[in-house]
Amino acid sequence: PQASGSPYKAIVYVMFGGGCDSFNMLVPHTCSGETDLYTDEYLEIRQEIALQKEDLNELNGPIANQACETFGVHPQLLAVQELFNNGDLLFFANTGVLTKETDKENYWKDTETQLFAHNFMQLAAQRIDPLKNEDGTGVLGRIRDVLTNQGLSVGAFSIDVNSISLIGKPGLAASPMILSNNGVAQFNHAPSSSDMNAIIESLNGETKAESGVFGEWYSDVLLKSLSHNQLLYNTLEGKTTTVTFPNSHLGRQLGMVARMIDSRIQRGTDADMFYLSTGGWDTHSQVLMNQNNLFANVDASFKAFADEMKAKNVWDSVTLIETSDFARTLTQNGGLGSDHAWGGNYIMMGGDVKGGQIVGRYPDAIKEGSPLNIGRGRIIPTTSWEAVFLPLAEWAGVDKAHFGYICPNKDNFGADHFFDKANLFEPTASS
């Protein structure tokens, strides 16, 4: 492929698989209003699985348009705190899958997605098409479709797993590639015969009149796959990171993404879409102990990725968006854990991101009986995935005229539900 010369953009989608208890990722801190959201709401409902205020890493404030002047992040999220305070990271508050805005009385009939189930809600966050108007496609795939139709060369890669998020309409762009977090292994690197590759090409080469359609298709796919394998192997050979990434699954995945971004010129690409997933977030027991390890890994991995992008002078060209199946119940269960819930808090970071803010509305009442609590601290989201991904798509180069294709359900929300790109991204030359 040949790049068009447009400024490079990369979207890195990170799924916290299992359902992150994100009300312990972003916590009220200083609230001078009539209600102290930390003491009167958070501590009361979280009980033994609450974080203590003195342990939180306090974010710079005052934070506009929220019930509290300042918030804190989990004690292990020191780099996240620094990225937020330096203006490179923001949080989306109380966000999740919605078919339309809803309330306690009507959510069960207003919501198309089967709630509280890992598979359905992970897919919903990757598709962002609850009514299946563009069935079989994902949000990154549709962004790629639009950019491809605009004449851009756009890569699509998942690390270790297949993801519907990268799938677009058949025939518009090449199929996404699945890469190992350990890199690309060369095909047949120790052949039993010196001309083995030539033999494979000959056997799958020119067709004959009696050649079958399925054999033709198989040979075509095989030769293309071998060609792509060799191209990626050659491209990544010698590509190293200047930063040492954690030797964790998430760290290795982000290290692989960094190497792929570094190879953008050799690959002739204008933009890339990446999907990766990290597990362990289904904390039905010992949520505080488990999150210490989980968030320590996230913090180290996100820091390494940000530092590497800065070292390679592409930080302004990359946006990382983190999602999860759902948040978790604010009430504890018998195992000092929390269970499947709904609305949660999520991270977006990058050099172009207008950080240092909490976007959307962090709920100002979360105890039992509050307007958004449908039981056990399951909070109805007030910000949809559509509101998150549309400005991200625009940052990547999608014109607003295509928003209906990127998020087919957008017209189920009023105009005031959404955020302008200018709310979330700096007006820099690269955007």
Side-chain angles (χ1 to χ4, degrees):
Q2 296 293 319
S4 72
S6 296
Y8 176 77
K9 297 291 178 68
I11 296 175
V12 182
Y13 184 130
V14 181
M15 168 67 71
F16 285 4
C20 173
D21 192 327
S22 52
F23 282 94
N24 271 8
M25 178 169 71
L26 181 67
V27 181
H29 190 278
T30 303
C31 316
S32 61
E34 291 184 8
T35 299
D36 184 333
L37 185 53
Y38 177 80
T39 302
D40 299 338
E41 298 278 341
Y42 173 82
L43 275 184
E44 182 168 330
I45 192 168
R46 300 241 75 179
Q47 297 289 314
E48 293 176 272
I49 60 172
L51 296 171
Q52 298 307 302
K53 183 183 286 190
E54 59 269 21
D55 295 331
L56 297 173
N57 296 314
E58 188 175 1
L59 302 175
N60 284 351
I63 293 174
N65 305 315
Q66 301 297 336
C68 297
E69 292 90 331
T70 64
F71 286 74
V73 292
H74 190 277
Q76 296 291 343
L77 295 177
L78 286 164
V80 166
Q81 175 197 31
E82 182 179 7
L83 285 163
F84 181 96
N85 290 344
N86 289 341
D88 285 344
L89 181 149
L90 60 76
F91 288 95
F92 289 102
N94 195 26
T95 298
V97 58
L98 286 169
T99 307
K100 60 192 292 188
E101 292 184 0
T102 190
D103 54 33
K104 288 174 72 168
E105 288 70 36
N106 298 295
Y107 77 90
W108 59 273
K109 62 182 179 181
D110 284 344
T111 306
E112 189 72 20
T113 305
Q114 182 174 325
L115 297 174
F116 319 128
H118 292 296
N119 54 346
F120 287 101
M121 294 187 76
Q122 276 195 28
L123 285 173
Q126 295 174 59
R127 290 171 173 157
I128 312 187
D129 181 20
L131 299 178
K132 300 181 180 180
N133 291 314
E134 297 292 343
D135 200 17
T137 67
V139 64
L140 297 183
R142 296 193 296 273
I143 292 173
R144 187 187 184 209
D145 285 348
V146 172
L147 296 179
T148 299
N149 281 336
Q150 292 173 189
L152 302 186
S153 173
V154 187
F157 304 93
S158 59
I159 313 298
D160 292 334
V161 296
N162 187 32
S163 170
I164 196 170
S165 68
L166 294 168
I167 304 297
K169 280 189 176 179
L172 287 183
S175 298
M177 297 185 187
I178 303 175
L179 305 176
S180 166
N181 70 83
N182 292 314
V184 176
Q186 186 179 28
F187 172 76
N188 202 25
H189 70 282
S192 58
S193 170
S194 61
D195 60 349
M196 181 64 73
N197 288 345
I199 292 172
I200 293 173
E201 290 179 9
S202 175
L203 289 172
N204 292 277
E206 292 185 18
T207 62
K208 297 180 179 179
E210 62 270 22
S211 297
V213 63
F214 294 111
E216 294 272 337
W217 175 81
Y218 172 86
S219 293
D220 183 58
V221 170
L222 175 63
L223 292 179
K224 284 181 178 177
S225 297
L226 295 180
S227 175
H228 290 156
N229 171 266
Q230 190 63 46
L231 176 63
L232 280 174
Y233 180 82
N234 293 340
T235 299
L236 289 175
E237 191 175 23
K239 291 292 182 187
T240 59
T241 61
T242 60
V243 172
T244 300
F245 281 74
N247 188 27
S248 64
H249 188 225
L250 178 60
R252 292 192 301 272
Q253 288 182 87
L254 285 170
M256 184 62 189
V257 170
R259 292 173 62 202
M260 288 298 295
I261 290 172
D262 197 25
S263 73
R264 64 196 181 281
I265 295 174
Q266 292 91 328
R267 292 185 290 111
T269 185
D270 298 299
D272 282 312
M273 307 289 141
F274 296 99
Y275 176 89
L276 48 154
S277 178
T278 179
W281 299 94
D282 197 18
T283 50
H284 288 287
S285 63
Q286 298 295 331
V287 60
L288 293 180
M289 180 182 70
N290 284 313
Q291 282 197 328
N292 275 331
N293 297 324
L294 291 163
F295 280 133
N297 177 37
V298 166
D299 199 61
S301 300
F302 280 13
K303 175 176 169 48
F305 184 71
D307 288 348
E308 179 69 15
M309 294 300 96
K310 293 171 186 176
K312 295 292 177 65
N313 296 314
V314 289
W315 183 229
D316 291 350
S317 302
V318 177
T319 298
L320 181 151
I321 178 71
E322 170 261 322
T323 74
S324 191
D325 329 16
F326 38 66
R328 306 190 74 83
T329 54
L330 295 173
T331 61
Q332 67 186 59
N333 59 29
L336 293 179
S338 51
D339 302 316
H340 301 181
W342 196 354
N345 308 302
Y346 301 98
I347 288 170
M348 186 167 76
M349 70 181 201
D352 266 3
V353 170
K354 189 176 285 187
Q357 61 172 327
I358 298 174
V359 180
R361 184 72 179 173
Y362 197 99
D364 54 13
I366 55 178
K367 291 188 299 188
E368 295 293 346
S370 62
L372 296 176
N373 185 338
I374 58 175
R376 288 205 58 210
R378 292 184 172 101
I379 304 299
I380 299 171
T382 47
T383 295
S384 66
W385 291 128
E386 284 84 352
V388 171
F389 276 86
L390 283 178
L392 179 57
E394 188 177 5
W395 170 84
V398 172
D399 188 89
K400 287 184 178 180
H402 301 291
F403 276 11
Y405 177 63
I406 302 301
C407 292
N409 188 53
K410 77 174 187 67
D411 289 341
N412 265 346
F413 302 96
D416 60 353
H417 179 83
F418 296 98
F419 313 114
D420 289 334
K421 184 183 76 166
N423 298 142
L424 307 185
F425 294 97
E426 301 287 356
T428 61
S430 64
S431 60

